[in-house]
Amino acid sequence: MPAPDMVDGQLSGSRCAIEGVSIKGLFALLVLSLLLPSGATTSSKSGTCHKTCLCASNIVSCSKMNLTGIPMAFPRYTAVLDLSFNQISKLKAEWTPVKLSMLHSLLLSHNGLTFLSSEAFLYVTQLRYLDLSSNGLKILEEFIFEPLEHLEVLLLYNNYISQIDRTAFSSLNSLQKLYLSQNQIQRFPLELVKERNRLEKLTLLDVSTNRLKLLPIQELQVLPAWIKNGLYFHNNPLPCSCELYSMLARWHRQELSSATDFRDDHTCLLPGAQKEKALTLELNKVHLNCSTVTILDEEAYLEQFIRLGCDTRQRYMLKSWVLPGNVQLSSGNQSSRVLSDGSLQVGPITLEDSGIYTCYAVGESFNETLYVTVLVHNATQAGGQEGMKTAYTTLVGCLASAMMVLIYLYLTPCRCICCPGQGLDKRAPGDSLHSSILSVSPTHEDTGPEGGGGGGGAFDKPPFNRHVTYLDPKGLLEQNGRLSPCGEEDEEWQEEDRGRQEQRRKSDAESLSSVCSDTPIVV
């Protein structure tokens, strides 16, 4: 057993050694803390849960703590951060000094938020769920959510949003559900669902209970069913119209959730100063007397190719077809085949292709069965077009014939000598009984000064002249067998002959007047 003096000496030596080591250790830690960067010190503190929050594994809940600002330095392993029901009015860029790469859910509802910094989400790029509902937001600026490429659900309902920049959601390529209800939005965000600009994975867009007064009905009607199924626009001051009724009625017949789940909330304002509300799906009964919506069958012609769509309420479903007569579609079928998008192409069409086609769609959450009726006409589409062409040709021919008749009746120039201004020149030497009874050769020639100053009449040098005269039987009888005078006959006979010629000229002119009568004689 050691002596007491020796024990006391050892204990006193050990105390001195311990005190020396502790002093050196504290000095080393002090030097190390000064040499390390500020981020390292922060990281050491970020490993613990904040005293005002509750932590359970990777979930940090700071809800209902009357916070006016966001606590600093959350643990890096935080996956869910709940800051709802506080008094945080601004989300600044430096709200988290470290990158929270594990954070996938951020809850900031019921805080009275009025400001979002454009750099507020730089350190939380892995977010998949963001709740900003029930706040005081009024404007969504351009590219405000640009860093959130993996965001799937965004809640913005129950705010005061009235202005949304067209690029606010443009970078959210993974967004599936967007809630914008109970705001003051006046413009439908068509860019989110339109064919070339839409978010490809967006399946739910809620713009109900806003201030929408106009819907792009034509653009919405052509959207696929899996988009229309999650497009909610009820409780908006939309004007009543048959177009709105027709669109919503079709959605209701297709059993789309956006129409069936809120059937009684789809209202519109009737025309008039009182602006009374009416159920949109009842406009065909009382108010506007709109036509009842019926889904028409597919019509086809012989030798035509048609495409039957299987427009399901859910995207990415496994689709199969059954032909009329409950015939299973096989790979050996040459006239029918399933395309890459699940639609069925049939052709060239025959009369046997008429009937009911059935599409069976199998999905993760539910299955669907769609029926398409095809009616085949016993004619080719080209034949119908040829018939229309023949009808048009016949009509044009009839019109042309009628025009020709009108031109002939009213625009043909008068070629009768008896017409006004076209008197017969009695001094023309060729107008004799011997030369103009039946003649097709020119007989009226220019007579110079005696013919009326150059003969400017309508019958001056015509190509053909047709004369119709009535012969005097008595004159012909008297001249019949008589020789023509050659200058050796007596004067009495010549004077008698001249008198008879003048009388024949008068009868000739009278006979020509009969040509312009109601019954002309043409030779």
Side-chain angles (χ1 to χ4, degrees):
M1 183 175 180
D5 295 336
M6 292 178 61
V7 171
D8 293 338
Q10 291 175 358
L11 290 174
S12 62
S14 62
R15 288 193 189 100
C16 293
I18 291 173
E19 289 177 358
V21 171
S22 62
I23 293 173
K24 291 180 180 179
L26 291 175
F27 180 76
L29 289 175
L30 179 61
V31 173
L32 183 61
S33 63
L34 293 175
L35 294 177
L36 287 175
S38 58
T41 306
T42 305
S43 64
S44 63
K45 293 181 180 179
S46 64
T48 60
C49 184
H50 198 274
K51 62 181 180 179
T52 59
C53 302
L54 298 177
C55 298
S57 182
N58 58 355
I59 300 175
V60 178
S61 176
C62 305
S63 178
K64 299 180 180 180
M65 295 296 179
N66 294 325
L67 300 176
T68 57
I70 299 178
M72 300 292 289
F74 292 103
R76 291 182 179 273
Y77 55 80
T78 303
V80 179
L81 178 58
D82 186 3
L83 294 169
S84 60
F85 292 95
N86 283 291
Q87 300 177 14
I88 304 171
S89 60
K90 296 182 180 180
L91 189 62
K92 301 179 181 179
E94 63 275 6
W95 70 273
T96 172
V98 296
K99 185 175 183 179
L100 301 177
S101 58
M102 304 293 291
L103 185 64
H104 60 75
S105 298
L106 176 60
L107 288 75
L108 284 164
S109 63
H110 297 90
N111 268 289
L113 274 174
T114 58
F115 173 76
L116 290 178
S117 173
S118 59
E119 300 178 356
F121 306 105
L122 289 179
Y123 288 165
V124 289
T125 57
Q126 300 300 316
L127 276 181
R128 298 197 301 270
Y129 183 93
L130 177 59
D131 186 0
L132 295 172
S133 63
S134 300
N135 283 293
L137 300 175
K138 296 181 179 180
I139 300 176
L140 297 181
E141 299 179 354
E142 58 181 356
F143 303 108
I144 187 67
F145 302 108
E146 184 177 13
L148 304 179
E149 298 180 354
H150 304 282
L151 190 64
E152 298 176 357
V153 180
L154 177 57
L155 285 74
L156 288 166
Y157 64 86
N158 195 23
N159 276 276
Y160 299 94
I161 300 174
S162 60
Q163 298 181 17
I164 301 178
D165 191 87
R166 295 180 182 271
T167 61
F169 309 107
S170 60
S171 60
L172 303 180
N173 297 323
S174 301
L175 190 64
Q176 300 177 12
K177 298 180 180 181
L178 176 59
Y179 297 86
L180 291 170
S181 62
Q182 302 180 44
N183 280 283
Q184 299 178 7
I185 302 173
Q186 300 181 8
R187 183 189 65 86
F188 184 87
L190 184 62
E191 64 273 5
L192 298 178
V193 295
K194 199 173 182 179
E195 177 66 28
R196 298 182 179 179
N197 303 321
R198 69 182 177 212
L199 302 177
E200 288 298 327
K201 295 185 178 181
L202 187 65
T203 59
L204 187 147
L205 174 60
D206 186 2
V207 291
S208 61
T209 318
N210 276 281
R211 297 182 179 180
L212 298 177
K213 296 182 179 180
L214 181 64
L215 282 180
I217 296 179
Q218 295 183 354
E219 286 80 0
L220 297 181
Q221 286 179 337
V222 298
L223 294 177
W226 60 268
I227 292 182
K228 295 186 290 188
N229 186 64
L231 188 57
Y232 297 89
F233 57 88
H234 53 276
N235 283 336
N236 275 287
L238 297 170
C240 295
S241 65
C242 290
E243 291 78 10
L244 178 62
Y245 160 76
S246 177
M247 182 186 71
L248 193 61
R250 291 178 183 276
W251 292 16
H252 194 270
R253 288 180 64 92
Q254 291 180 273
E255 298 183 354
L256 301 181
S257 299
S258 56
T260 57
D261 295 348
F262 297 91
R263 185 184 189 280
D264 295 334
D265 294 324
H266 279 284
T267 59
C268 58
L269 300 179
L270 293 172
Q274 297 180 355
K275 300 295 183 182
E276 296 181 0
K277 285 187 177 182
L279 290 177
T280 305
L281 290 175
E282 294 184 358
L283 293 178
N284 64 322
K285 298 180 180 179
V286 179
H287 303 289
L288 297 184
N289 195 23
C290 298
S291 301
T292 303
V293 172
T294 57
I295 300 179
L296 300 177
D297 300 333
E298 292 286 341
E299 296 185 357
Y301 294 88
L302 298 178
E303 302 179 1
Q304 185 184 8
F305 285 84
I306 61 173
R307 184 175 179 177
L308 306 179
C310 188
D311 198 7
T312 57
R313 294 175 291 168
Q314 185 179 352
R315 200 177 186 184
Y316 305 123
M317 301 185 74
L318 182 61
K319 302 173 183 178
S320 60
W321 287 86
V322 175
L323 304 181
N326 201 21
V327 177
Q328 297 291 331
L329 181 62
S330 61
S331 58
N333 194 313
Q334 300 296 328
S335 61
S336 303
R337 65 186 184 94
V338 180
L339 303 179
S340 59
D341 60 349
S343 59
L344 180 67
Q345 178 177 303
V346 183
I349 291 292
T350 61
L351 290 177
E352 289 74 14
D353 293 324
S354 296
I356 300 176
Y357 293 77
T358 307
C359 175
Y360 295 100
V362 180
E364 296 179 357
S365 56
F366 57 86
N367 300 332
E368 290 186 66
T369 303
L370 285 80
Y371 301 95
V372 182
T373 304
V374 176
L375 176 62
V376 179
H377 297 280
N378 192 13
T380 60
Q381 192 172 17
Q385 294 178 356
E386 290 295 333
M388 292 297 295
K389 291 181 179 179
T390 304
Y392 282 120
T393 303
T394 305
L395 179 60
V396 172
C398 293
L399 292 177
S401 301
M403 291 297 297
M404 294 297 293
V405 171
L406 293 175
I407 292 173
Y408 177 79
L409 292 177
Y410 295 101
L411 300 181
T412 304
C414 183
R415 299 188 178 275
C416 300
I417 301 177
C418 60
C419 294
Q422 298 181 4
L424 181 63
D425 188 2
K426 297 180 180 181
R427 298 183 180 181
D431 287 342
S432 64
L433 185 62
H434 302 282
S435 61
S436 61
I437 294 176
L438 293 175
S439 175
V440 294
S441 60
T443 57
H444 294 279
E445 296 182 359
D446 193 2
T447 57
E450 296 180 357
F459 279 78
D460 293 341
K461 299 182 180 180
F464 296 98
N465 289 326
R466 299 179 180 180
H467 300 280
V468 179
T469 62
Y470 297 91
L471 301 180
D472 188 357
K474 182 179 179 181
L476 291 176
L477 184 60
E478 292 179 354
Q479 191 176 350
N480 189 19
R482 180 177 294 181
L483 296 175
S484 299
C486 298
E488 298 178 356
E489 289 80 0
D490 52 44
E491 294 180 358
E492 182 180 355
W493 181 86
Q494 291 179 359
E495 291 178 358
E496 183 181 355
D497 193 16
R498 291 192 188 98
R500 290 177 179 177
Q501 288 181 0
E502 291 179 0
Q503 185 177 1
R504 287 169 183 165
R505 288 181 182 275
K506 292 180 180 180
S507 63
D508 189 9
E510 292 176 356
S511 63
L512 286 173
S513 63
S514 65
V515 178
C516 295
S517 63
D518 294 337
T519 308
I521 301 175
V522 181
V523 181

